[in-house]
Amino acid sequence: MSWFWYTLKDKRFLTFLLIVNILGTIYGYIWYGNQLSQTPARFLLFVPDSPTASLFFVIVLIGFLLKKQLPLFEALAMITLFKYGIWAVVMNLLVYLTTGQMDAIMLMLMGSHGAMAVQGLLYSPFYRIKLWHLAIAAVWTLHNDIIDYVFFMVPRYSMLNDYIPQIGYFTFWLSIFSILLAYILAVLPLQKKQHAYEKN
């Protein structure tokens, strides 16, 4: 398994991931273009969920390539990549269940967002997230849910409008699970290492 962890930190693989995520981020902001053009300025930062999550990861990858840890961005990336990756997969499945239709774009979105969720978790052993980094990222994530479902800035799936309350409830608990997962996979192991070091 050591080859796997070596590959994740290999400069060539990190560069490949960086390029993929930059392209995905650009595509994501373009995808949100119509909604962003109609969004009040005060909400603009919180509307393009997935591309902002991948933008956080772009910053983390640049940090890795420069051999610098950016734990706040690591926390933001880990939580939001998983959350919005899973969210998009579930929403596209719900669209399919509602309409009975599945096209190539939906399959592409499900595949890319599924990969998005996985990549954030894969790098958890390399993160240096402390509890306060996690707390700030958690506030960002839950605040984003409020913007989406209280002020109705949620990404637009018109065929799912009848299910917005249920989707909002699901999204809130997905946020909680994503935060908890980041704590278990990144914060807790680091705390254990620090405690072991202090004992020695």
Side-chain angles (χ1 to χ4, degrees), residues 94-113:
L94 188 54
V95 168
Y96 171 68
L97 291 174
T98 302
T99 65
Q101 297 180 345
M102 176 73 72
D103 58 25
I105 292 178
M106 290 172 64
L107 289 172
M108 181 275 291
L109 288 172
M110 289 173 66
S112 61
H113 282 80

Side-chain angles (χ1 to χ4, degrees), residues 101-200:
Q101 297 180 345
M102 176 73 72
D103 58 25
I105 292 178
M106 290 172 64
L107 289 172
M108 181 275 291
L109 288 172
M110 289 173 66
S112 61
H113 282 80
M116 195 173 93
V118 170
Q119 69 176 354
L121 300 184
L122 281 179
Y123 279 86
S124 60
F126 306 112
Y127 298 150
R128 295 295 177 266
I129 303 171
K130 295 181 179 179
L131 202 54
W132 72 269
H133 301 125
L134 185 72
I136 292 173
V139 170
W140 168 278
T141 303
L142 294 171
H143 178 258
N144 209 12
D145 288 344
I146 293 171
I147 299 299
D148 282 351
Y149 297 98
V150 174
F151 295 96
F152 300 106
M153 294 293 124
V154 63
R156 292 173 183 169
Y157 288 84
S158 58
M159 65 289 292
L160 300 180
N161 284 346
D162 291 341
Y163 306 101
I164 290 297
Q166 294 88 341
I167 292 171
Y169 184 77
F170 161 75
T171 303
F172 169 77
W173 284 109
L174 180 58
S175 294
I176 297 298
F177 181 73
S178 301
I179 294 163
L180 182 61
L181 198 60
Y183 175 75
I184 293 170
L185 294 181
V187 178
L188 199 56
L190 184 62
Q191 287 179 335
K192 288 179 178 179
K193 285 181 183 178
Q194 289 174 336
H195 290 157
Y197 177 79
E198 288 169 1
K199 285 182 180 179
N200 293 331

Side-chain angles (χ1 to χ4, degrees), residues 1-61:
M1 256 327 251
S2 59
W3 64 269
F4 178 74
W5 302 116
Y6 174 81
T7 300
L8 288 181
K9 288 303 293 284
D10 183 80
K11 188 174 182 180
R12 291 163 297 181
F13 187 71
L14 287 171
T15 301
F16 168 74
L17 265 189
L18 177 61
I19 293 169
V20 169
N21 277 274
I22 288 173
L23 294 175
T25 300
I26 293 170
Y27 174 81
Y29 283 117
I30 292 171
W31 189 87
Y32 273 95
N34 184 53
Q35 184 173 350
L36 288 172
S37 69
Q38 302 172 41
T39 299
R42 66 185 182 278
F43 295 134
L44 283 174
L45 192 61
F46 303 100
V47 169
D49 298 325
S50 294
T52 300
S54 60
L55 178 61
F56 290 146
F57 196 55
V58 163
I59 295 170
V60 170
L61 290 171

Side-chain angles (χ1 to χ4, degrees), residues 9 62-69:
K9 288 303 293 284
I62 291 172
F64 284 161
L65 285 166
L66 297 176
K67 302 189 182 304
K68 295 178 70 72
Q69 297 286 158

